[in-house]
Amino acid sequence: MDTLKANLELFEKMVLIRTFEETVQSLFQKGAIVGTTHLYSGQEAVATGFASALQPQDLVAATYRGHGHALATGVTPQSLMDEMLGRLTGVCGGRSGSMNVIDLEHRLIGCFGIIGGSIGAATGAAIALARRNGVAIAYFGDGAINQAYFYECLNFAAVRKLPVIFVCENNLYGEYTPWEDVTAGQIRARAEALEVKSETIDGNDVWAVQKAALASFDYARNGNGPVFIEALTYRFVGHSRSDPGKYRKPGELDAWKLRDPLIIARKRLVDEFSFSPQEVDAAEAGVKKRMEEVREQSLKAPSPGLKKLGSEFMELKRTGGGGA
Amino acid sequence: MDTLKANLELFEKMVLIRTFEETVQSLFQKGAIVGTTHLYSGQEAVATGFASALQPQDLVAATYRGHGHALATGVTPQSLMDEMLGRLTGVCGGRSGSMNVIDLEHRLIGCFGIIGGSIGAATGAAIALARRNGVAIAYFGDGAINQAYFYECLNFAAVRKLPVIFVCENNLYGEYTPWEDVTAGQIRARAEALEVKSETIDGNDVWAVQKAALASFDYARNGNGPVFIEALTYRFVGHSRSDPGKYRKPGELDAWKLRDPLIIARKRLVDEFSFSPQEVDAAEAGVKKRMEEVREQSLKAPSPGLKKLGSEFMELKRTGGGGA
Amino acid sequence: MSASQDELSFRNAIREAIDEELAADSDVIFFGEDVAEAGGVFAVTPGLRDKYGDERVFDTPISELALSSAAFGSAVAGLRPIVEIMFADFLFLAMDSLVNQSAKYWYLSNEQKSIPLVVRSAVGGGIGFGPIHSQVPISWFLGVPGLKIIAPSTANDAKRLLKAAIRDENPVLFFEHKALYATTEVREELTGQEILGKARIVREGSDITLVSCMKGVADCLEAARLLSEIGISAEVLDLRSLRPMDNEMIQSSFSKTKSLLVVEEGPITGGWAGEVISIANEVNNDGMKLWRIATEDRPIPFSPALENEFYPSATTIFESVRERHAR
Amino acid sequence: MSASQDELSFRNAIREAIDEELAADSDVIFFGEDVAEAGGVFAVTPGLRDKYGDERVFDTPISELALSSAAFGSAVAGLRPIVEIMFADFLFLAMDSLVNQSAKYWYLSNEQKSIPLVVRSAVGGGIGFGPIHSQVPISWFLGVPGLKIIAPSTANDAKRLLKAAIRDENPVLFFEHKALYATTEVREELTGQEILGKARIVREGSDITLVSCMKGVADCLEAARLLSEIGISAEVLDLRSLRPMDNEMIQSSFSKTKSLLVVEEGPITGGWAGEVISIANEVNNDGMKLWRIATEDRPIPFSPALENEFYPSATTIFESVRERHAR
Ligand SMILES: Cc1ncc(C[n+]2csc(CCOP(=O)(O)OP(=O)(O)O)c2C)c(N)n1
Ligand SMILES: Cc1ncc(C[n+]2csc(CCOP(=O)(O)OP(=O)(O)O)c2C)c(N)n1
Ligand SMILES: [Mg+2]
Ligand SMILES: [Mg+2]
C-alpha cells in the first residue's frame, strides 16, 4: 500500500513540476514574470526519481533550470511561484528569481546560474555531510561537462572520496548547440577515466531513475566516494524564453514526446502498479487544481518593500568557541 | 653522418640544459639570481626530444620550469642567463625572469607561471598554426592535469581538431605532493576518455622521446587533431629554491639517477651510434666551457635603466584593412 | 532589427562592426558559445558563420577559460580574435587568462608582441535577469594594466568603437549593455579610425559635469533636461573608454563647471566612479592635499634593478609629501 | 621562526591563529595546495595536519576553482573553511566561486545562511618573484559586495585579524604580504574579538595623514620619521581592512590634518587608493561639488519592485544635483 501510494506520489510530483512550468510559461507570456526562465518540462523524472531517494540530512544543488529540482526536493510550489514573481513571500523574498533559488529548509543549497556552479557547491557540501552520514547531489547539463567546475570538482571529490552524486542530465543540447558538437568522446567516459563509479540511465522513466538513485545514495553514503550518473532525457520546451528552436533534428521532439515521463509513468501505474486510469486522472486533476490556487495566490502576494533591501553582510557575531 | 651528428647534438643539448641549470643554481646560492627558480635537471630528454622534431613554423609553450624547454627550442643560453639575472640583455630585457620567459624569434610563446597556462596558450596558437601547417606544443606537469586549463583546452582542441601536442611531464610530484595523492585514475586515461590519441613514453631516453615526437607532429600536422603524451621522468633537484625534499620515497632518487638521461644518452651514443667515450667527453667539455663563458658575460651584462620601464600598451596603430 | 535604412540599432551596429572587420582582414576570427549556428543569445551575430565559414566564426564548448586562453594563444600566433563571453558575469571564469596572459604579454615579452584581442560581453541590469546575469564588472578589471575597457552608449559609437577595438593592438574588453541592444540612432558616416581612450561631451553645460557611460548617459541627458528647467546647466560626459580613462577631458570639464557627479551602474564601493573622483580631485585642490602614490600602470617587472624602483618607498613618500607641502 | 618566547613572527602569528581556531571549533577546517604534509610553501602551517588529522587539514589537487567552490559548499553545509590560495595571483582562477557564490549567498538566500569562509593568500612583491607571483589583487575584489578584505601589517594584528576573520560569518579574503612573514613583534596579549572593518592609527600627527596597509605601513612610519625631521607631523593610518573600509577614521583624520596621501602597492589606476581618495574627498569639499551616485553595496536583486529602485536614474541624478547645488 505504502509503496503503491509512493508510486502515485512520484507521478503527482512530476505532474506538479509540469504544471508549475506551464504556469510559469503562461505568466511569462503575460508579462507577470520578467527576465528569463528555463523550464524543466520533459525532464521531470530525473529530479523526481533522485529526490525520492533523499534522506533528511542530504543536500541538493541544481541549475538555472531548477524549478523541477526545487519542487522535487520539497520547496513548496507557493513559495517558489511567489519567487518567480519577485514577491516578498517568495522563497528568497524576491531577491533571487528563477535562476538562483535557495531553500535550505528544504535541503536545496541552491540553483546556480553559472554553469557548473552546482557541482562545486555539492562537492563542498559533501565535505560537511561526510560527518553526518549525508550525501550531496549535483544536477547539471551535458553542456556543463566542458566547464572547469565539473572536472576539477569530480577529481577533488574522487580523491577525497566525498559522498556526492553527480547527475548529468543529458538533454542533447546546451542552449542551441548539440552536445556532440562541442564535446569530445562520450560523456560517461570522463567519469570512468577518473575511476568514479558511473552509469547511464533512462532519465524519462522515474522508476529507472529511482533505482539508480537508491543504489547511488547507498554507495556514496557508505563511504565509497562519488557516483556519476548520465541521465538521458530531453526538454520539450525552448532553452529559455527566447529560443528560436531551429536546432532540433526533424522528428526528434515528436519521438521524445512519445517517451514523455508522464506518459511512461501513467502507463506503468496502470499496467504494473494496478491503478485505474480514473485514479490516475483524479490524481492529476488534483495537482492541477492546487496549482491553480497557487497561481491565484501568487498574483496577490505582496511585493517586497524597499526596506527589505537588506545588508551585504551578516552582522551577527558568533559567540562561543575558544578565547582569543 | 648527419644523423650521427644530430644524435651527438641531442646529447650536447641535454648537457647544455643540465649545465645551465647548475649554473643558475650556483648563481642563486650566491645571491646573484633573486626570487625563485625551478630547475629542469633530470627531465632534459623530454624537451630535447620534442624540440628535435619541431619545424620552423611551430610554436612552443612551457612552464615556470621552462629553462630546458627554452634552450631546447633555440633560445640562446646567453640571452636566457642574462634574463635570469634581470639584465637589459636578457631575452625579455629583464622584465620576465625565470618563470615567464618569452622568445618568439625562437618559437617560444612563453613560459607560464600559472599552472596550465601553457596549455591554453598552445591551444590558441594551434588555431593560427592550422592555417600554415604548423603545430603547437604545450609542456606541463602531472599536477597541471587537475587544473581547469587542461581539461577545457583538451576538449576544445579535440572538438576543433587543432594541431597541438599536449606533453604531460609526469615527474611524480607537484611541488611536494605525489601525483597519485591528488589525482583520480590514471593520467593518460583522461585524454583517452576524450578520444584524443595518447601515449605514455619513457621521458628519460631522448631517442624514445624523439620517436614519439616525430609521430605526434606528423599526426597533428596532418589535420588529425591533438595528441597527448605522458612522458615519465623525474626531477633530480628540489621543486624550487626552498624545497624541503622530505617527500621523496626512500631510494627513489637514487634509482632514477641510474636512469639519468645523460647517462642513458652517453651509453647509447657509445653502444649504438659508434661514438668513442672520448668524443662524448669532448662534446660535454665543449658545452661546459661555453656555459662558463656565458656565465662570465652575464655577470658583466648591463642592468636595465629605469627608462626601460616601457608602456602597458602597444601604442602603434595598425594601418591598412578595410575603411570604416 | 526593423530599423529603416538610415537608422542603426545598437544590435546591428555590433554585427556590422564584426562583419566589416571579418571582411577587411582574414586574420580576424570570431568565436563563442552559440554565436555561430544560432547567431548569439542576444541575436547579435546571425549570418556571420555562413558568410565567413566555420574556420573563422564558430561555436565553442561552455569553457570560458579555454575560450579566453585560446584567443590569447591565437593572437600570439598572429590572429586577431574576437571572443564573446555571453554575460559579463561569466568573465570571472576567464579572468586568469585575461589578466595573467593577455594583459601582460606586451610588457613581459619586452614588447615582442602585443595581443590584439577583443572580448565582447553583455552587461547591466534593469530587465529582471537577476543577480548573476546583470553585473557590470568594469571595476573588477579597472586595475589591470595592459587591458582596455570600452563601454559605448549609442549605436554609432558601438560600431565605431568596436571596429577600433578590433583594430587595436591590445586586449580590449568591450561591454554591451543589454538594455541598449534595441535602441536606435540615425546612422552616421564613420570616418577614420576611432582612438580608444577618448571620452565625448554629449551635451555642453556650465554648472555641473555629469559623467557616466552606457545606459547611464541617457539617464544623465534626461536629468540634464530636467535640471535645465530649474536653471542648472549640466554638461554630460560619456566616458566610452573606462581604461584608459580620458583624464584630460574629465579634468577640463570639471575645471569649467566646478561641480562633478559620477553616475555608475554598479556598487558604489570600489567602483570606477571612485577613479573618476580621484582624477577630478587632482584639479579640485590642485593636487595639493589629497593624493595617492602607487605603482605605475604596468605589470611588475622582474629585474631587481627595475623592481626596486617600482614600488612606493619611505623615500618616495617622504619626497612626495615634502614637495606638495612646500607649495 | 626562531623568535624568543615573547616575540611573535608574522609567520607564526598566522599559524597560531589557525591552530587556535582549529582547536576551538571542530567545524573549522583548513585545506590548500601543499599546506598539510609539507606545511605550506611559505612554511606557515607545519604540524597542523598531524595535530588535527587529514579530515580537517588536507592537501588538495592544483584546482583553485574546486578549492574555493568546495569551501563555499562546505560552509553552506555548516563548516567554517579556511582555504589557502598559495599566491594571490592565482585567485583569478577561483574568482567565480568567490564572487558569484560565496559573496552573494547571504543576500540571495534572503539571509538564510551566510558563508563563514576565509581565503588566505600571499601577496606583494619586492623579492624578485616577478610579474605573476607578486601582485596585490585587492582592487580587483574591492567592488564585490558581500566580501571582506583584510590585509594586516604586523604580526600581532595578523593573529588578531585572522582569528576574527575565521570567526566572522562572512567570506573574507585574508592577504599576507610575503615580505612580512619574517618580521617579528613583541607578543601582545589578545583580548576580546577584533571587529573587521576598523583601521588603526599607528602614529599620531597633525599635518598630514598617510594611509596605507601591509608593507606600506612600515614605509609610511619611516617616511613620518623623516618628515618629522623637517617639521612635518605625519599621522599614519593602517587600514587593515580594505573592505569594509573605515570611512569614519579616514574622514576624521583628514578633517584634522587637512592633507592626506594614500600609499598603495599596486597600479595607481583603478586601485583601492582611489576609493580612499573618494571617501576623504567627501570631507574635503563637504561632499558638495565632487561626488558619485551608484548602486548600494549589495548584489542586484531580482524582484522588479527592488530592481527598479536599485539603479541610478534620471530622477535620482536630478534630485541629487538639485540637493547639492541648493546648499
Ligand atoms: C559559465 C556559464 N557560461 C554560459 C552560460 C550561459 N548558458 C546558460 S544555459 C547554457 C547551456 C547549458 O547547457 P546544459 O549544461 O546542457 O544544460 P541545459 O540547459 O540543457 O539544462 C549556457 C551556455 C552560463 N549560465 N554560465
Ligand atoms: C594556478 C597555479 N596554482 C598553483 C601554483 C603553484 N605551483 C607552482 S609549481 C606547482 C606544482 C606543479 O606540479 P607539476 O604540474 O607536476 O609540475 P612540476 O613542477 O612537477 O614540473 C604549484 C602547485 C601555480 N604556479 N599556479
Ligand atoms: Mg543540455
Ligand atoms: Mg610534477
mmCIF file with all atom_site columns, all heavy atoms in Angstrom, chain B residues 266-281:
data_model
loop_
_atom_site.group_PDB
_atom_site.id
_atom_site.type_symbol
_atom_site.label_atom_id
_atom_site.label_alt_id
_atom_site.label_comp_id
_atom_site.label_asym_id
_atom_site.label_entity_id
_atom_site.label_seq_id
_atom_site.pdbx_PDB_ins_code
_atom_site.Cartn_x
_atom_site.Cartn_y
_atom_site.Cartn_z
_atom_site.occupancy
_atom_site.B_iso_or_equiv
_atom_site.pdbx_formal_charge
_atom_site.auth_seq_id
_atom_site.auth_comp_id
_atom_site.auth_asym_id
_atom_site.auth_atom_id
_atom_site.pdbx_PDB_model_num
ATOM 1   N N   . ARG B 1 266 ? 74.600 8.915  -23.180 1.00 0.00 ? 266 ARG B N   1
ATOM 2   C CA  . ARG B 1 266 ? 76.025 8.600  -23.334 1.00 0.00 ? 266 ARG B CA  1
ATOM 3   C C   . ARG B 1 266 ? 76.214 7.128  -23.720 1.00 0.00 ? 266 ARG B C   1
ATOM 4   O O   . ARG B 1 266 ? 76.940 6.781  -24.644 1.00 0.00 ? 266 ARG B O   1
ATOM 5   C CB  . ARG B 1 266 ? 76.740 8.899  -22.014 1.00 0.00 ? 266 ARG B CB  1
ATOM 6   C CG  . ARG B 1 266 ? 78.171 8.433  -21.937 1.00 0.00 ? 266 ARG B CG  1
ATOM 7   C CD  . ARG B 1 266 ? 78.763 8.722  -20.560 1.00 0.00 ? 266 ARG B CD  1
ATOM 8   N NE  . ARG B 1 266 ? 78.977 10.161 -20.355 1.00 0.00 ? 266 ARG B NE  1
ATOM 9   C CZ  . ARG B 1 266 ? 80.109 10.785 -20.697 1.00 0.00 ? 266 ARG B CZ  1
ATOM 10  N NH1 . ARG B 1 266 ? 81.094 10.115 -21.248 1.00 0.00 ? 266 ARG B NH1 1
ATOM 11  N NH2 . ARG B 1 266 ? 80.237 12.069 -20.478 1.00 0.00 ? 266 ARG B NH2 1
ATOM 12  N N   . LYS B 1 267 ? 75.499 6.290  -23.022 1.00 0.00 ? 267 LYS B N   1
ATOM 13  C CA  . LYS B 1 267 ? 75.623 4.854  -23.272 1.00 0.00 ? 267 LYS B CA  1
ATOM 14  C C   . LYS B 1 267 ? 75.174 4.511  -24.702 1.00 0.00 ? 267 LYS B C   1
ATOM 15  O O   . LYS B 1 267 ? 75.847 3.778  -25.421 1.00 0.00 ? 267 LYS B O   1
ATOM 16  C CB  . LYS B 1 267 ? 74.770 4.099  -22.241 1.00 0.00 ? 267 LYS B CB  1
ATOM 17  C CG  . LYS B 1 267 ? 74.929 2.600  -22.247 1.00 0.00 ? 267 LYS B CG  1
ATOM 18  C CD  . LYS B 1 267 ? 74.450 2.003  -20.935 1.00 0.00 ? 267 LYS B CD  1
ATOM 19  C CE  . LYS B 1 267 ? 74.414 0.470  -20.929 1.00 0.00 ? 267 LYS B CE  1
ATOM 20  N NZ  . LYS B 1 267 ? 74.746 -0.231 -22.129 1.00 0.00 ? 267 LYS B NZ  1
ATOM 21  N N   . ARG B 1 268 ? 74.063 5.090  -25.106 1.00 0.00 ? 268 ARG B N   1
ATOM 22  C CA  . ARG B 1 268 ? 73.574 4.770  -26.444 1.00 0.00 ? 268 ARG B CA  1
ATOM 23  C C   . ARG B 1 268 ? 74.487 5.361  -27.524 1.00 0.00 ? 268 ARG B C   1
ATOM 24  O O   . ARG B 1 268 ? 74.672 4.753  -28.581 1.00 0.00 ? 268 ARG B O   1
ATOM 25  C CB  . ARG B 1 268 ? 72.129 5.250  -26.633 1.00 0.00 ? 268 ARG B CB  1
ATOM 26  C CG  . ARG B 1 268 ? 71.156 4.392  -25.808 1.00 0.00 ? 268 ARG B CG  1
ATOM 27  C CD  . ARG B 1 268 ? 69.705 4.646  -26.172 1.00 0.00 ? 268 ARG B CD  1
ATOM 28  N NE  . ARG B 1 268 ? 69.382 4.192  -27.541 1.00 0.00 ? 268 ARG B NE  1
ATOM 29  C CZ  . ARG B 1 268 ? 68.142 4.194  -28.045 1.00 0.00 ? 268 ARG B CZ  1
ATOM 30  N NH1 . ARG B 1 268 ? 67.120 4.616  -27.303 1.00 0.00 ? 268 ARG B NH1 1
ATOM 31  N NH2 . ARG B 1 268 ? 67.928 3.784  -29.276 1.00 0.00 ? 268 ARG B NH2 1
ATOM 32  N N   . LEU B 1 269 ? 75.048 6.513  -27.249 1.00 0.00 ? 269 LEU B N   1
ATOM 33  C CA  . LEU B 1 269 ? 75.976 7.095  -28.221 1.00 0.00 ? 269 LEU B CA  1
ATOM 34  C C   . LEU B 1 269 ? 77.158 6.166  -28.458 1.00 0.00 ? 269 LEU B C   1
ATOM 35  O O   . LEU B 1 269 ? 77.593 5.935  -29.591 1.00 0.00 ? 269 LEU B O   1
ATOM 36  C CB  . LEU B 1 269 ? 76.491 8.461  -27.740 1.00 0.00 ? 269 LEU B CB  1
ATOM 37  C CG  . LEU B 1 269 ? 75.534 9.644  -27.879 1.00 0.00 ? 269 LEU B CG  1
ATOM 38  C CD1 . LEU B 1 269 ? 76.147 10.894 -27.249 1.00 0.00 ? 269 LEU B CD1 1
ATOM 39  C CD2 . LEU B 1 269 ? 75.166 9.906  -29.345 1.00 0.00 ? 269 LEU B CD2 1
ATOM 40  N N   . VAL B 1 270 ? 77.641 5.614  -27.370 1.00 0.00 ? 270 VAL B N   1
ATOM 41  C CA  . VAL B 1 270 ? 78.799 4.725  -27.481 1.00 0.00 ? 270 VAL B CA  1
ATOM 42  C C   . VAL B 1 270 ? 78.388 3.346  -28.004 1.00 0.00 ? 270 VAL B C   1
ATOM 43  O O   . VAL B 1 270 ? 78.957 2.822  -28.961 1.00 0.00 ? 270 VAL B O   1
ATOM 44  C CB  . VAL B 1 270 ? 79.507 4.607  -26.109 1.00 0.00 ? 270 VAL B CB  1
ATOM 45  C CG1 . VAL B 1 270 ? 80.620 3.559  -26.163 1.00 0.00 ? 270 VAL B CG1 1
ATOM 46  C CG2 . VAL B 1 270 ? 80.054 5.969  -25.684 1.00 0.00 ? 270 VAL B CG2 1
ATOM 47  N N   . ASP B 1 271 ? 77.360 2.767  -27.402 1.00 0.00 ? 271 ASP B N   1
ATOM 48  C CA  . ASP B 1 271 ? 76.971 1.392  -27.748 1.00 0.00 ? 271 ASP B CA  1
ATOM 49  C C   . ASP B 1 271 ? 76.332 1.286  -29.127 1.00 0.00 ? 271 ASP B C   1
ATOM 50  O O   . ASP B 1 271 ? 76.570 0.330  -29.862 1.00 0.00 ? 271 ASP B O   1
ATOM 51  C CB  . ASP B 1 271 ? 75.960 0.852  -26.731 1.00 0.00 ? 271 ASP B CB  1
ATOM 52  C CG  . ASP B 1 271 ? 76.603 0.640  -25.366 1.00 0.00 ? 271 ASP B CG  1
ATOM 53  O OD1 . ASP B 1 271 ? 77.826 0.893  -25.252 1.00 0.00 ? 271 ASP B OD1 1
ATOM 54  O OD2 . ASP B 1 271 ? 75.888 0.238  -24.433 1.00 0.00 ? 271 ASP B OD2 1
ATOM 55  N N   . GLU B 1 272 ? 75.484 2.272  -29.475 1.00 0.00 ? 272 GLU B N   1
ATOM 56  C CA  . GLU B 1 272 ? 74.700 2.106  -30.692 1.00 0.00 ? 272 GLU B CA  1
ATOM 57  C C   . GLU B 1 272 ? 75.121 3.024  -31.821 1.00 0.00 ? 272 GLU B C   1
ATOM 58  O O   . GLU B 1 272 ? 74.912 2.718  -32.983 1.00 0.00 ? 272 GLU B O   1
ATOM 59  C CB  . GLU B 1 272 ? 73.211 2.335  -30.398 1.00 0.00 ? 272 GLU B CB  1
ATOM 60  C CG  . GLU B 1 272 ? 72.637 1.324  -29.409 1.00 0.00 ? 272 GLU B CG  1
ATOM 61  C CD  . GLU B 1 272 ? 71.213 1.688  -29.003 1.00 0.00 ? 272 GLU B CD  1
ATOM 62  O OE1 . GLU B 1 272 ? 70.433 2.131  -29.882 1.00 0.00 ? 272 GLU B OE1 1
ATOM 63  O OE2 . GLU B 1 272 ? 70.882 1.534  -27.806 1.00 0.00 ? 272 GLU B OE2 1
ATOM 64  N N   . PHE B 1 273 ? 75.633 4.198  -31.432 1.00 0.00 ? 273 PHE B N   1
ATOM 65  C CA  . PHE B 1 273 ? 75.907 5.167  -32.500 1.00 0.00 ? 273 PHE B CA  1
ATOM 66  C C   . PHE B 1 273 ? 77.400 5.343  -32.745 1.00 0.00 ? 273 PHE B C   1
ATOM 67  O O   . PHE B 1 273 ? 77.832 6.310  -33.350 1.00 0.00 ? 273 PHE B O   1
ATOM 68  C CB  . PHE B 1 273 ? 75.233 6.503  -32.172 1.00 0.00 ? 273 PHE B CB  1
ATOM 69  C CG  . PHE B 1 273 ? 73.742 6.389  -31.983 1.00 0.00 ? 273 PHE B CG  1
ATOM 70  C CD1 . PHE B 1 273 ? 73.162 6.661  -30.757 1.00 0.00 ? 273 PHE B CD1 1
ATOM 71  C CD2 . PHE B 1 273 ? 72.919 5.978  -33.036 1.00 0.00 ? 273 PHE B CD2 1
ATOM 72  C CE1 . PHE B 1 273 ? 71.783 6.560  -30.588 1.00 0.00 ? 273 PHE B CE1 1
ATOM 73  C CE2 . PHE B 1 273 ? 71.546 5.869  -32.867 1.00 0.00 ? 273 PHE B CE2 1
ATOM 74  C CZ  . PHE B 1 273 ? 70.974 6.153  -31.636 1.00 0.00 ? 273 PHE B CZ  1
ATOM 75  N N   . SER B 1 274 ? 78.183 4.421  -32.193 1.00 0.00 ? 274 SER B N   1
ATOM 76  C CA  . SER B 1 274 ? 79.614 4.290  -32.515 1.00 0.00 ? 274 SER B CA  1
ATOM 77  C C   . SER B 1 274 ? 80.472 5.507  -32.215 1.00 0.00 ? 274 SER B C   1
ATOM 78  O O   . SER B 1 274 ? 81.438 5.800  -32.907 1.00 0.00 ? 274 SER B O   1
ATOM 79  C CB  . SER B 1 274 ? 79.798 3.886  -33.992 1.00 0.00 ? 274 SER B CB  1
ATOM 80  O OG  . SER B 1 274 ? 79.389 4.941  -34.827 1.00 0.00 ? 274 SER B OG  1
ATOM 81  N N   . PHE B 1 275 ? 80.045 6.275  -31.181 1.00 0.00 ? 275 PHE B N   1
ATOM 82  C CA  . PHE B 1 275 ? 80.951 7.326  -30.715 1.00 0.00 ? 275 PHE B CA  1
ATOM 83  C C   . PHE B 1 275 ? 81.916 6.709  -29.706 1.00 0.00 ? 275 PHE B C   1
ATOM 84  O O   . PHE B 1 275 ? 81.587 5.757  -29.000 1.00 0.00 ? 275 PHE B O   1
ATOM 85  C CB  . PHE B 1 275 ? 80.175 8.462  -30.045 1.00 0.00 ? 275 PHE B CB  1
ATOM 86  C CG  . PHE B 1 275 ? 79.449 9.332  -31.035 1.00 0.00 ? 275 PHE B CG  1
ATOM 87  C CD1 . PHE B 1 275 ? 78.133 9.066  -31.382 1.00 0.00 ? 275 PHE B CD1 1
ATOM 88  C CD2 . PHE B 1 275 ? 80.091 10.404 -31.641 1.00 0.00 ? 275 PHE B CD2 1
ATOM 89  C CE1 . PHE B 1 275 ? 77.462 9.850  -32.302 1.00 0.00 ? 275 PHE B CE1 1
ATOM 90  C CE2 . PHE B 1 275 ? 79.427 11.189 -32.557 1.00 0.00 ? 275 PHE B CE2 1
ATOM 91  C CZ  . PHE B 1 275 ? 78.111 10.926 -32.894 1.00 0.00 ? 275 PHE B CZ  1
ATOM 92  N N   . SER B 1 276 ? 83.093 7.291  -29.647 1.00 0.00 ? 276 SER B N   1
ATOM 93  C CA  . SER B 1 276 ? 84.026 6.827  -28.614 1.00 0.00 ? 276 SER B CA  1
ATOM 94  C C   . SER B 1 276 ? 83.740 7.609  -27.345 1.00 0.00 ? 276 SER B C   1
ATOM 95  O O   . SER B 1 276 ? 83.259 8.747  -27.396 1.00 0.00 ? 276 SER B O   1
ATOM 96  C CB  . SER B 1 276 ? 85.465 7.078  -29.052 1.00 0.00 ? 276 SER B CB  1
ATOM 97  O OG  . SER B 1 276 ? 85.740 8.462  -29.024 1.00 0.00 ? 276 SER B OG  1
ATOM 98  N N   . PRO B 1 277 ? 84.018 7.039  -26.192 1.00 0.00 ? 277 PRO B N   1
ATOM 99  C CA  . PRO B 1 277 ? 83.841 7.758  -24.930 1.00 0.00 ? 277 PRO B CA  1
ATOM 100 C C   . PRO B 1 277 ? 84.557 9.106  -24.964 1.00 0.00 ? 277 PRO B C   1
ATOM 101 O O   . PRO B 1 277 ? 84.077 10.088 -24.424 1.00 0.00 ? 277 PRO B O   1
ATOM 102 C CB  . PRO B 1 277 ? 84.452 6.827  -23.884 1.00 0.00 ? 277 PRO B CB  1
ATOM 103 C CG  . PRO B 1 277 ? 84.322 5.461  -24.476 1.00 0.00 ? 277 PRO B CG  1
ATOM 104 C CD  . PRO B 1 277 ? 84.453 5.645  -25.954 1.00 0.00 ? 277 PRO B CD  1
ATOM 105 N N   . GLN B 1 278 ? 85.693 9.115  -25.634 1.00 0.00 ? 278 GLN B N   1
ATOM 106 C CA  . GLN B 1 278 ? 86.458 10.367 -25.694 1.00 0.00 ? 278 GLN B CA  1
ATOM 107 C C   . GLN B 1 278 ? 85.700 11.441 -26.472 1.00 0.00 ? 278 GLN B C   1
ATOM 108 O O   . GLN B 1 278 ? 85.692 12.614 -26.087 1.00 0.00 ? 278 GLN B O   1
ATOM 109 C CB  . GLN B 1 278 ? 87.838 10.136 -26.363 1.00 0.00 ? 278 GLN B CB  1
ATOM 110 C CG  . GLN B 1 278 ? 88.800 9.316  -25.523 1.00 0.00 ? 278 GLN B CG  1
ATOM 111 C CD  . GLN B 1 278 ? 88.384 7.830  -25.467 1.00 0.00 ? 278 GLN B CD  1
ATOM 112 O OE1 . GLN B 1 278 ? 87.605 7.353  -26.298 1.00 0.00 ? 278 GLN B OE1 1
ATOM 113 N NE2 . GLN B 1 278 ? 88.894 7.108  -24.469 1.00 0.00 ? 278 GLN B NE2 1
ATOM 114 N N   . GLU B 1 279 ? 85.094 11.034 -27.572 1.00 0.00 ? 279 GLU B N   1
ATOM 115 C CA  . GLU B 1 279 ? 84.332 12.010 -28.347 1.00 0.00 ? 279 GLU B CA  1
ATOM 116 C C   . GLU B 1 279 ? 83.188 12.604 -27.511 1.00 0.00 ? 279 GLU B C   1
ATOM 117 O O   . GLU B 1 279 ? 82.920 13.798 -27.553 1.00 0.00 ? 279 GLU B O   1
ATOM 118 C CB  . GLU B 1 279 ? 83.746 11.355 -29.609 1.00 0.00 ? 279 GLU B CB  1
ATOM 119 C CG  . GLU B 1 279 ? 84.766 11.142 -30.709 1.00 0.00 ? 279 GLU B CG  1
ATOM 120 C CD  . GLU B 1 279 ? 84.205 10.257 -31.836 1.00 0.00 ? 279 GLU B CD  1
ATOM 121 O OE1 . GLU B 1 279 ? 83.695 9.143  -31.525 1.00 0.00 ? 279 GLU B OE1 1
ATOM 122 O OE2 . GLU B 1 279 ? 84.262 10.684 -33.005 1.00 0.00 ? 279 GLU B OE2 1
ATOM 123 N N   . VAL B 1 280 ? 82.544 11.720 -26.775 1.00 0.00 ? 280 VAL B N   1
ATOM 124 C CA  . VAL B 1 280 ? 81.430 12.180 -25.949 1.00 0.00 ? 280 VAL B CA  1
ATOM 125 C C   . VAL B 1 280 ? 81.939 13.122 -24.870 1.00 0.00 ? 280 VAL B C   1
ATOM 126 O O   . VAL B 1 280 ? 81.356 14.186 -24.614 1.00 0.00 ? 280 VAL B O   1
ATOM 127 C CB  . VAL B 1 280 ? 80.678 10.980 -25.334 1.00 0.00 ? 280 VAL B CB  1
ATOM 128 C CG1 . VAL B 1 280 ? 79.530 11.452 -24.464 1.00 0.00 ? 280 VAL B CG1 1
ATOM 129 C CG2 . VAL B 1 280 ? 80.173 10.052 -26.439 1.00 0.00 ? 280 VAL B CG2 1
ATOM 130 N N   . ASP B 1 281 ? 83.033 12.730 -24.250 1.00 0.00 ? 281 ASP B N   1
ATOM 131 C CA  . ASP B 1 281 ? 83.627 13.596 -23.219 1.00 0.00 ? 281 ASP B CA  1
ATOM 132 C C   . ASP B 1 281 ? 83.976 14.969 -23.791 1.00 0.00 ? 281 ASP B C   1
ATOM 133 O O   . ASP B 1 281 ? 83.746 16.000 -23.160 1.00 0.00 ? 281 ASP B O   1
ATOM 134 C CB  . ASP B 1 281 ? 84.907 12.960 -22.652 1.00 0.00 ? 281 ASP B CB  1
ATOM 135 C CG  . ASP B 1 281 ? 84.592 11.809 -21.714 1.00 0.00 ? 281 ASP B CG  1
ATOM 136 O OD1 . ASP B 1 281 ? 83.404 11.690 -21.297 1.00 0.00 ? 281 ASP B OD1 1
ATOM 137 O OD2 . ASP B 1 281 ? 85.514 11.018 -21.412 1.00 0.00 ? 281 ASP B OD2 1
#
